[in-house]
């Protein structure tokens, strides 16, 4: 990975001037657990965090996909940078000057780089035209009238494309851009006769950025009688609409601070929400939410409030977005807008404070939203439609993991329609049994050899993983043993889910509870943890465990991070040998030998 074009002392200066936790936190929501930080891996899709960052070692490692390295390799992998580009990016963050000839390192493909440069130049040009020229005065006055401040215009780099067929094409041509490339970039268009002309004309321009804040596309709103009110850039090599969230780079620090993300449909909504003080706002750019967007959201926020337009299309889109975000592990609420208003309309009509207090802060739970959704276009005075509504709601209630939630909504239905609570509970339980049976049948058809597969998987688990499973299985059955394990290793389990289960179990027993698998499972909010605990509870293990066996399991759990450290040292030794630094290699070899000896002597 080392590049000799940059002096080694400069690279080391950068490495020691940055904290990998700060670097990774710009891309991944991290939470501290013990000495390390954990989050969802940015290199593969997952719902439970397996991505670990060590501030002590300044390295990262994913227990799911195996990705690992230091801050430089993280930036290289995440951004697709060469080593030199990663060094320069981190040097800039550390405010360290590095002199490197731009021709000495790999660049993005020339065409793609030209597209990026053109977008950046036009962002600045459009912004200048809006705020400094007579051409942009009408658009500027329109924005001010709509409540846009100069700070908002500057922050979102809003601009104006003049009412000309060739203003931008001439601007780009004078700067020797290839016009065919600019057509591919979505900045220009070509007529059937072959004439090149500006794509955006007489429009207020909203830059659309990638996750790092580079302009990759534009959205344009007409200020004339054009039938096309909004015109966006097409899909290009730079811009894939379903992969990005509007204003994500601006909202990210506020999302982290508030531990919450507000999701809107369009860029006007995001700007309006920001004006209202909701700076943790992003948008899906008017499209239905994609799996890529849902994954990006989950990596950066646990809690999401969806605030789509109040019309039928907006409500239907919110319903679909809710399902996808919940599948990705987000806790979702829905902010409902009245009277077919969009967020911008509501804020301009009722003001920022009312938007925050009556819409965002009053966001409904998913179940409450679904009940409202199922009511739409139903005449509940009609017996048939009322029965259909109740059955739809009972199906959703049956999916709720918590008994308290199920009871709450069943009582709500019973009260509203003057029905027997016992009858509703009985009907809901029948629906639950039918849903579970249907699921079991699907699972059996999908793989009627599941027992064999599970057995094979268990045999392939590493020793530390099996040790953790056996320890937890015994702890679920024995409070005294659980406290003994707590004294020895606390929460130092290597599997994130195991650590979470142990923490819940310690708290459970500290409250004076006796071992009771069903009771303990009901305390867990996370369905994934519930599934693991159920599986552990079904393990066949001996009733007693002697001290030697217990110590052996504890040793496997505690030694695993040390073996990882030895592996890292072995890599360092090979790197030193590759660089013919044999003194350093010998020193590392002695460290490895000493570490192995310490492991051998433990316990």
């Amino acid at each position: 990975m080392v590049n000799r074009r940059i002096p080694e002392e400069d690279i080391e200066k950068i490495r020691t001037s940055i904290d990998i936790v700060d670097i990774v936190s710009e891309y991944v929501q991290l939470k501290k657990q013990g000495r390390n930080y954990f989050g969802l891996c940015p290199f593969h899709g997952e719902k439970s965090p397996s991505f670990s960052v060590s501030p002590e070692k300044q390295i990262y490692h994913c227990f799911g996909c195996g990705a690992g390295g230091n801050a430089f390799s993280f930036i290289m992998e995440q951004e697709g940078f060469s080593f030199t580009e990663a060094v320069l990016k981190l040097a800039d963050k550390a405010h360290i000057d590095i002199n490197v000839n731009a021709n000495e390192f790999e660049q993005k493909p020339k065409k793609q780089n030209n597209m990026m440069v053109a977008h950046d130049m036009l962002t600045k040009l459009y912004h200048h035209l809006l705020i400094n020229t007579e051409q942009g005065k009408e658009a500027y006055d329109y924005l001010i009238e709509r409540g846009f401040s100069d700070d908002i215009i500057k922050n979102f780099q809003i601009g104006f494309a003049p009412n000309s067929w060739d203003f931008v094409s001439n601007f780009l041509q004078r700067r020797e851009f290839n016009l065919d490339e600019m057509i591919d970039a979505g900045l220009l268009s070509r007529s059937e006769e072959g004439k090149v002309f500006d794509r955006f004309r007489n429009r207020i321009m909203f830059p659309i950025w990638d996750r790092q804040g580079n302009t990759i596309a534009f959205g344009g709103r007409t200020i004339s009688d054009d039938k096309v009110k909004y015109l966006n850039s097409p899909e290009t090599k730079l811009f894939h609409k379903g992969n990005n969230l509007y204003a994500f780079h601006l909202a990210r620090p506020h999302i982290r601070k508030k531990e919450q993300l507000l999701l809107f449909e369009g860029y006007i909504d995001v700007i309006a929400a920001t004006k209202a003080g909701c700076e943790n706002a992003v948008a899906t750019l008017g499209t239905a939410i994609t799996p890529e967007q849902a994954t990006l959201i989950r990596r950066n926020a646990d809690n999401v409030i969806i605030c789509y337009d109040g019309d039928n299309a907006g409500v239907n889109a919110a319903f679909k977005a809710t399902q996808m975000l919940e599948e990705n592990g987000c806790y979702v609420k829905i902010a409902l807008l009245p009277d077919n208003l969009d967020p911008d309309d509501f804020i301009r009509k009722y003001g920022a404070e009312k938007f925050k207090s009556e819409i965002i802060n009053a966001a409904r739970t998913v179940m409450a939203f679904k009940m409202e959704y199922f009511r739409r276009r139903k005449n509940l005075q009609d017996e048939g439609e009322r029965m259909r509504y109740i059955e739809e709601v009972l199906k959703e209630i049956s999916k709720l993991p918590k008994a308290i939630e199920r009871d709450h909504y069943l009582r709500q239905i019973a009260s509203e329609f003057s029905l027997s609570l016992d009858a509703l509970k009985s009907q809901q339980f029948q629906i639950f049994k039918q849903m579970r049976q249907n699921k079991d049948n699907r699972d059996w058809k999908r793989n009627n050899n599941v027992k064999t597969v599970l057995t094979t998987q268990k045999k392939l688990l590493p020793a530390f993983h099996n040790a953790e499973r056996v320890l937890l299985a015994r702890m679920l059955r024995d409070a005294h043993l659980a406290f003994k394990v707590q004294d020895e290793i606390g929460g130092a389990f290597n599997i994130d889910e195991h650590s979470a289960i142990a923490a819940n179990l310690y708290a459970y027993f500290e409250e004076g509870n006796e071992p009771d698998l069903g009771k303990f499972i009901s305390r867990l909010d996370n369905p994934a943890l519930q599934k693991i605990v159920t599986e552990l509870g079904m393990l066949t293990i001996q009733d007693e465990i002697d001290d030697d066996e217990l110590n052996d399991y504890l040793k496997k759990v505690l030694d695993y991070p040390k073996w990882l450290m030895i592996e890292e040292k072995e890599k360092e030794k090979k790197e030193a040998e590759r660089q013919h630094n044999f003194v350093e290699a010998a020193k590392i070899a002695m460290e490895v030998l000493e570490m192995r000896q310490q492991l051998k002597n433990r316990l």
Side-chain angles (χ1 to χ4, degrees):
M1 187 174 75
V2 175
N3 187 325
R4 289 297 176 185
R5 292 182 183 133
I6 299 177
E8 188 65 36
E9 56 268 24
D10 287 346
I11 294 173
E12 183 63 13
K13 185 179 179 181
I14 295 165
R15 190 188 68 79
T16 56
S17 298
I18 58 176
D19 185 347
I20 193 170
V21 175
D22 294 335
I23 301 303
V24 175
S25 292
E26 294 186 11
Y27 302 85
V28 180
Q29 183 184 27
L30 295 175
K31 292 183 179 178
K32 191 170 186 181
Q33 294 185 8
R35 291 184 176 182
N36 295 340
Y37 291 79
F38 285 84
L40 295 173
C41 180
F43 306 123
H44 80 287
E46 61 179 7
K47 296 180 182 178
S48 297
S50 65
F51 184 79
S52 174
V53 181
S54 169
E56 180 182 349
K57 304 172 190 174
Q58 289 293 297
I59 61 172
Y60 68 92
H61 178 76
C62 177
F63 293 94
C65 68
N70 59 16
F72 298 121
S73 55
F74 179 85
I75 293 296
M76 290 170 66
E77 187 73 21
Q78 183 69 17
E79 299 285 359
F81 283 177
S82 68
F83 176 70
T84 305
E85 288 174 315
V87 170
L88 293 176
K89 182 178 179 70
L90 294 181
D92 182 60
K93 287 185 176 296
H95 305 293
I96 295 173
D97 292 329
I98 300 291
N99 293 320
V100 179
N101 189 322
N103 295 322
E104 289 184 352
F105 61 90
E106 300 171 28
Q107 297 275 355
K108 286 183 172 67
K110 187 172 184 298
K111 180 176 179 179
Q112 187 172 338
N113 192 60
N114 288 342
M115 290 180 176
M116 293 282 283
V117 172
H119 276 87
D120 180 62
M121 292 178 72
L122 288 181
T123 298
K124 295 171 182 174
L125 175 64
Y126 288 146
H127 185 65
H128 168 76
L129 291 171
L130 176 71
I131 63 176
N132 294 319
T133 71
E134 189 65 30
Q135 284 177 297
K137 188 176 185 307
E138 181 184 355
Y140 177 82
D141 291 343
Y142 171 85
L143 290 171
I144 296 300
E145 185 181 334
R146 297 266 301 196
F148 286 65
S149 66
D150 286 338
D151 284 343
I152 285 289
I153 291 172
K154 180 180 179 181
N155 192 40
F156 286 90
Q157 298 177 279
I158 301 170
F160 175 69
N163 190 17
S164 167
W165 291 87
D166 58 7
F167 180 87
V168 169
S169 56
N170 288 337
F171 173 85
L172 294 171
Q173 195 166 32
R174 283 196 302 271
R175 284 152 184 80
E176 299 183 349
F177 284 95
N178 183 302
L179 295 189
D180 287 332
E181 288 183 3
M182 298 302 99
I183 291 171
D184 292 340
L187 299 173
L188 305 176
S189 298
R190 192 190 301 275
S191 68
E192 293 181 359
E193 294 78 22
K195 182 177 176 58
V196 175
F197 60 92
D198 296 359
R199 178 179 177 85
F200 299 99
R201 303 177 304 281
N202 204 29
R203 291 180 180 272
I204 297 171
M205 299 298 288
F206 299 89
I208 296 170
W209 307 278
D210 63 16
R211 299 172 196 179
Q212 285 69 55
N214 303 306
T215 305
I216 54 174
F218 288 100
R221 189 201 188 283
T222 185
I223 59 170
S224 64
D225 296 330
D226 194 319
K227 292 181 181 179
V228 181
K229 186 176 180 181
Y230 289 99
L231 178 66
N232 295 329
S233 294
E235 297 261 322
T236 67
K237 289 182 181 294
L238 294 182
F239 177 52
H240 302 283
K241 188 159 51 175
N243 291 348
N244 291 281
L245 293 167
Y246 176 72
F248 177 73
H249 72 293
L250 297 176
R252 181 160 46 195
H254 304 285
I255 292 168
R256 298 277 165 79
K257 184 178 180 180
K258 296 182 180 180
E259 297 185 344
Q260 180 191 77
L261 179 146
L262 303 183
L263 184 64
F264 295 89
E265 287 185 86
Y267 41 80
I268 297 294
D269 300 328
V270 168
I271 296 171
T274 302
K275 286 191 298 179
C278 301
E279 296 170 307
N280 53 331
V282 299
T284 55
L285 297 169
T287 61
I289 190 170
T290 65
E292 291 79 13
Q293 289 171 330
T295 299
L296 178 60
I297 289 170
R298 177 63 183 89
R299 285 177 185 159
N300 289 273
D302 295 325
N303 301 299
V304 179
I305 294 179
I306 299 173
C307 186
Y308 284 2
D309 293 356
D311 57 14
N312 285 330
V315 172
N316 290 333
F319 185 82
K320 293 175 182 177
T322 295
Q323 292 177 310
M324 185 169 292
L325 288 169
E326 283 196 316
E327 287 171 3
N328 275 269
C330 293
Y331 177 71
V332 183
K333 288 180 136 183
I334 297 87
L336 292 176
L337 288 159
D339 306 324
N340 290 333
L341 295 176
D342 62 32
D344 182 44
D345 292 334
F346 185 95
I347 292 168
R348 287 193 292 114
K349 186 173 182 179
Y350 297 108
E353 289 306 315
K354 199 166 185 178
F355 176 72
K356 286 189 285 189
S357 63
E358 296 187 11
I359 303 300
I360 299 301
N361 294 341
R364 305 188 185 191
T365 64
V366 170
M367 189 63 220
F369 168 71
K370 287 181 177 178
M371 291 173 72
E372 185 73 22
Y373 180 81
F374 290 135
R375 282 176 179 272
R376 296 172 69 85
R377 298 182 180 178
K378 281 191 179 72
N379 177 13
L380 297 185
Q381 301 303 313
D382 179 84
E383 183 179 358
E385 292 197 29
R386 185 167 64 249
M387 289 298 105
R388 187 156 62 89
Y389 166 73
I390 293 171
E391 185 171 354
E392 287 175 337
V393 171
L394 289 177
K395 284 181 181 179
E396 292 301 321
I397 292 175
S398 298
K399 299 175 185 177
L400 296 174
K402 295 181 182 178
I404 293 176
E405 283 186 287
R406 294 195 296 271
D407 184 75
H408 170 77
Y409 291 111
L410 286 171
R411 289 180 185 275
Q412 193 171 314
I413 293 294
S415 174
E416 181 179 0
F417 296 105
S418 301
L419 297 172
S420 161
L421 181 60
D422 289 337
L424 280 175
K425 285 184 175 180
S426 175
Q427 180 70 13
Q428 183 264 315
F429 183 67
Q430 292 298 319
I431 291 172
F432 170 76
K433 285 202 305 183
Q434 185 62 50
M435 289 169 62
R436 185 172 61 181
Q437 183 179 344
N438 292 342
K439 181 180 182 302
D440 290 343
N441 289 339
R442 287 195 301 271
D443 291 343
W444 185 85
K445 289 177 182 178
R446 191 178 300 116
N447 188 353
N448 59 12
N449 250 341
V450 66
K451 290 183 180 178
T452 305
V453 173
L454 287 175
T455 302
T456 304
Q457 289 177 338
K458 288 174 184 176
K459 287 180 181 178
L460 294 175
L461 292 175
F464 82 92
H465 194 152
N466 273 323
E468 292 185 3
R469 284 165 56 83
V470 174
L471 279 175
L472 287 170
R474 291 188 175 281
M475 290 161 62
L476 286 165
R477 294 162 170 80
D478 186 339
H480 176 72
L481 179 65
F483 288 131
K484 191 171 183 178
V485 172
Q486 184 180 23
D487 291 339
E488 292 290 337
I489 67 172
F493 287 81
N494 296 288
I495 303 297
D496 187 40
E497 290 85 353
H498 293 175
S499 183
I501 291 169
N504 280 280
L505 193 57
Y506 296 149
Y508 174 79
F509 285 136
E510 283 169 359
E511 292 171 6
N513 293 303
E514 293 295 321
D516 183 331
L517 197 62
K519 185 177 179 181
F520 176 65
I521 290 173
S522 69
R523 290 167 58 101
L524 299 173
D525 295 331
N526 189 326
L529 298 185
Q530 292 176 346
K531 182 178 178 182
I532 294 170
V533 170
T534 302
E535 185 181 348
L536 295 174
M538 297 297 290
L539 287 179
T540 302
I541 55 176
Q542 295 177 354
D543 293 335
E544 300 293 332
I545 179 172
D546 59 36
D547 288 342
D548 288 341
E549 185 181 356
L550 175 61
N551 288 338
D552 184 56
Y553 288 135
L554 294 173
K555 185 176 186 298
K556 285 182 172 65
V557 174
L558 292 172
D559 285 354
Y560 180 66
K562 294 178 175 61
W563 284 113
L564 287 179
M565 189 180 296
I566 288 174
E567 287 180 13
E568 192 63 33
K569 287 289 183 184
E570 294 282 10
K571 291 178 183 177
E572 291 177 11
K573 182 169 78 72
K574 288 181 180 178
E575 180 64 21
E577 289 171 347
R578 192 181 70 80
Q579 296 183 28
H580 303 293
N581 190 346
F582 298 112
V583 174
E584 180 66 17
K587 179 183 174 184
I588 295 171
M590 290 299 295
E591 291 177 10
V592 170
L593 187 63
E594 185 177 325
M595 292 165 69
R596 289 182 182 275
Q597 190 63 40
Q598 288 175 354
L599 285 174
K600 186 176 180 182
N601 294 336
R602 271 182 52 82
L603 297 177

